[in-house]
Amino acid sequence: MELFAQQILNGLVTGSVYSLVALGLTLIYGTMNVPNFAHGQLFMFGAYLSYALVMRAGVHYWIAMAIAVVTLAIAGAVLERSVFRPLRHAPPLNSMIAALGVMLLLEAVAQNIWGPEFRHTDTPYGGIVSLFGLPVAAHRLILLGAAAASMMALLVFLTRTTAGAAIRATAQNPEAALLVGIDTGRVAMATFAISAALAAVAGALIAPISLVYPAMGTVVTLKAFVIVVLGGMGSVTGALIGGYLLALAESLGGTYVSATYQDLIAFVVLALVFTFRPAGLFKAAV
Amino acid sequence: MLKVSALTVSYGSFQAVREVSFEVRPGELVVLLGANGAGKTTIFRAVSGLTPADRGSRIEWAGQELSSLSPRAIVDSGLSHCPEGRKLFPELSVGTNLRLGAYRCHDKAEIQRRLARVLELFPPLSGRMNDPAGALSGGQQQMVSVGRALMAEPKILLLDEPSVSLAPKVVAQVLEAVAAINRTGTMVLLSEQNAYAALEIAHRGYVLEGGRLVLHGPAAELMQHDEVRRAYMGA
Ligand SMILES: Nc1ncnc2c1ncn2[C@@H]1O[C@H](COP(=O)(O)OP(=O)(O)OP(=O)(O)O)[C@@H](O)[C@H]1O
Ligand SMILES: [Mg+2]
């Protein structure tokens, strides 16, 4: 029973990261039809920035996260403006290749700055707490809460504000959005910024309980793509729920089926979804 | 006044609209008639900035040359385009669709006032404000589309085939609403295949064939015109 509870908790922790990353990916796909292969690298940069600020500059953990989030948001906006905007009217393949280029570039930059070693970030919540008798690293609970709060904030923004409605409108009908006077270029930039910020939150949250290294984004990107396909391309609810579901399947499958093949579970799930529900579990709706 | 002169629009090397000139004067409701593929939608898209016009085309409105403006600046100039095929935001509520029509207005009380006016024009929408727009019937979706364009409180409204694929009774309702909008002083440019019904509410009309204007005149005259009767009214 304790093992089971432990695995559920692991699943929720990993799921928080998956969902945060997948949400950004699905938002960008939904509004711009760009599969941003470099999304996991934004997550990786979020983790590294948090690491560098906390471990090398001595900044407080939360302030470091805030700086990482703002920096990545700006980087996301710049990325949209400089790389993807000029390709808006080009064939989709061009954007995909550009995204792959950015992915390789970001990884090389991280390797150059921080080296290939595994890094680790300290957290102010280093203790162990007891959750219904289960010993749990305090930071994991902080991660669960902070991730949930960020996703809540995103949902409220998307569904309760005019700016959020403009993003959803642009995703659902870009021409109609232009006709009501929405600046869809600005929407694209804002969407990239928000998505990168979410990735940074995920990176900064995971840095103290996982290893930080240049390739850490690649696996996460793959998983996030599985989730976005699983949840329905462009669907926010799908990405949110899909992230937790996949992580739970992985942690339970890894414990009770086979630990060796844990990372394969995502792709088995993907194959099943492709076979039985090609449009995803949730209808696309930003 | 909206004054379009020598408007030419090309898709690649194909000229979909050639040297078209027309105008909509203050207070007028003008109808653009034409069969499938005549170029009506292309003209509307060029006027509202969605499709670039060829060099030499002039689109004058409210003292501005529109062909160099962005769609957003064109909305700000008081021109609102209700596009062909409704183009709603299907997953957003009817209320949000309508409010987004007033996206460029930041005065909450003013938006509320416009909303009340649209609901007065289209009473069936009142009970559907929280439903996703995509869940409505065709006629009600058309009302949302026209209502959304009206939320910008335009001085001129462009309506691209608002009655297409609606039941005859609903067509009459929609066109009656269009006439009512025009009576409040809003200029209207309407495209229709439903020539008779459109000419009944219009002041003047233009007939488009293969991207060129072939005929224009007061609505009453066009209604009697042999060619119009033959081509559009099955007479
Ligand atoms: N995006 C496009 N690319 C190439 N050709 C186009 C495009 N849009 C329209 N056309 C062509 O331009 C011509 C005019 O089309 P348009 O849609 O303006 O006609 P329409 O009068 O609105 O027709 P309908 O009554 O069917 O809406 C047609 O021959 C059409 O095939
Ligand atoms: Mg048309």
Side-chain angles (χ1 to χ4, degrees), chain A residues 162-163 165-166 168-170 172-183 186-187 283-286, chain B residues 45 48 50 71-72 75 80-83 86-92 96-97 100-104 148:
Chain A
T162 305
R168 299 169 74 207
T170 304
Q172 291 174 30
N173 198 319
E175 274 199 342
L178 282 174
L179 286 180
V180 298
I182 293 171
D183 182 339
R186 260 200 2 225
V187 164
K283 219 170 79 207
V286 171
Chain B
R45 292 176 61 90
S48 58
L50 290 180
R72 143 184 287 227
V75 173
S80 189
H81 175 178
C82 171
R86 303 170 194 138
K87 299 224 159 80
L88 298 181
F89 307 119
E91 316 276 346
L92 300 185
T96 305
N97 268 272
L100 279 173
Y103 184 74
R104 298 294 287 158
R148 186 180 63 188

Side-chain angles (χ1 to χ4, degrees), chain A:
Chain A
M1 194 57 216
E2 194 180 312
L3 181 66
F4 179 74
Q6 203 57 262
Q7 292 314 315
I8 294 284
L9 193 72
N10 285 345
L12 291 175
V13 166
T14 313
S16 303
V17 171
Y18 284 1
S19 293
L20 281 169
V21 176
L23 274 171
L25 201 62
T26 211
L27 274 179
I28 291 175
Y29 186 82
T31 41
M32 279 162 281
N33 281 314
V34 172
N36 183 22
F37 297 119
H39 206 62
Q41 276 61 40
L42 299 175
F43 158 77
M44 176 266 291
F45 258 88
Y48 264 118
L49 279 180
S50 153
Y51 155 79
L53 288 163
V54 172
M55 304 303 281
R56 299 197 179 173
V59 177
H60 186 271
Y61 178 74
W62 289 114
I63 296 175
M65 182 192 287
I67 297 174
V69 166
V70 172
T71 310
L72 264 291
I74 294 169
V78 169
L79 200 59
E80 192 278 328
R81 236 1 238 264
S82 56
V83 178
F84 295 105
R85 174 94 45 113
L87 297 174
R88 237 184 338 174
H89 302 292
L93 187 62
N94 294 27
S95 296
M96 290 190 205
I97 293 170
L100 284 174
V102 172
M103 174 184 125
L104 295 174
L105 175 77
L106 291 181
E107 216 163 289
V109 169
Q111 174 116 3
N112 236 302
I113 303 178
W114 293 292
E117 298 88 354
F118 291 120
R119 307 288 183 182
H120 171 83
T121 309
D122 286 345
T123 164
Y125 313 99
I128 304 283
V129 294
S130 162
L131 185 70
F132 307 116
L134 195 71
V136 179
H139 187 85
R140 296 180 159 248
L141 298 182
I142 296 290
L143 181 151
L144 288 181
S150 311
M151 291 188 246
M152 249 348 201
L154 175 74
L155 289 185
V156 168
F157 168 72
L158 285 176
T159 55
R160 298 266 180 276
T161 69
T162 305
I167 290 180
R168 299 169 74 207
T170 304
Q172 291 174 30
N173 198 319
E175 274 199 342
L178 282 174
L179 286 180
V180 298
I182 293 171
D183 182 339
T184 53
R186 260 200 2 225
V187 164
M189 232 165 97
T191 306
F192 247 97
I194 292 166
S195 300
L198 291 172
V201 169
L205 281 175
I206 199 79
I209 55 170
S210 169
L211 298 168
V212 179
Y213 57 102
M216 70 186 284
T218 316
V219 178
V220 172
T221 303
L222 279 174
K223 300 287 172 66
F225 267 100
V226 171
I227 292 156
V228 168
V229 172
L230 185 79
M233 306 289 284
S235 163
V236 165
T237 337
L240 208 163
I241 299 172
Y244 285 104
L245 282 183
L246 179 67
L248 284 169
E250 281 183 355
S251 77
L252 293 176
T255 309
Y256 296 107
V257 183
S258 159
T260 325
Y261 297 115
Q262 181 166 356
D263 276 339
L264 263 182
I265 288 172
F267 304 99
V268 173
V269 172
L270 185 66
L272 289 175
V273 170
F274 268 147
T275 312
F276 296 106
R277 279 191 75 108
L281 299 178
F282 299 84
K283 219 170 79 207
V286 171

Side-chain angles (χ1 to χ4, degrees), chain B residues 40-41 84 160-161:
Chain B
K40 305 181 293 295
T41 298
E84 179 176 62
D160 196 354
E161 297 202 44

Side-chain angles (χ1 to χ4, degrees), chain B residues 21-36:
Chain B
S21 302
F22 65 93
E23 57 190 42
V24 185
R25 299 169 200 144
E28 270 191 330
L29 194 169
V30 170
V31 64
L32 207 53
L33 298 174
N36 280 329

Side-chain angles (χ1 to χ4, degrees), chain B residues 11 14 16-17 34-43 84 160-161 193 208:
Chain B
Y11 297 111
F14 169 63
V17 168
N36 280 329
K40 305 181 293 295
T41 298
T42 303
I43 291 176
E84 179 176 62
D160 196 354
E161 297 202 44
Q193 296 197 33
L208 202 61

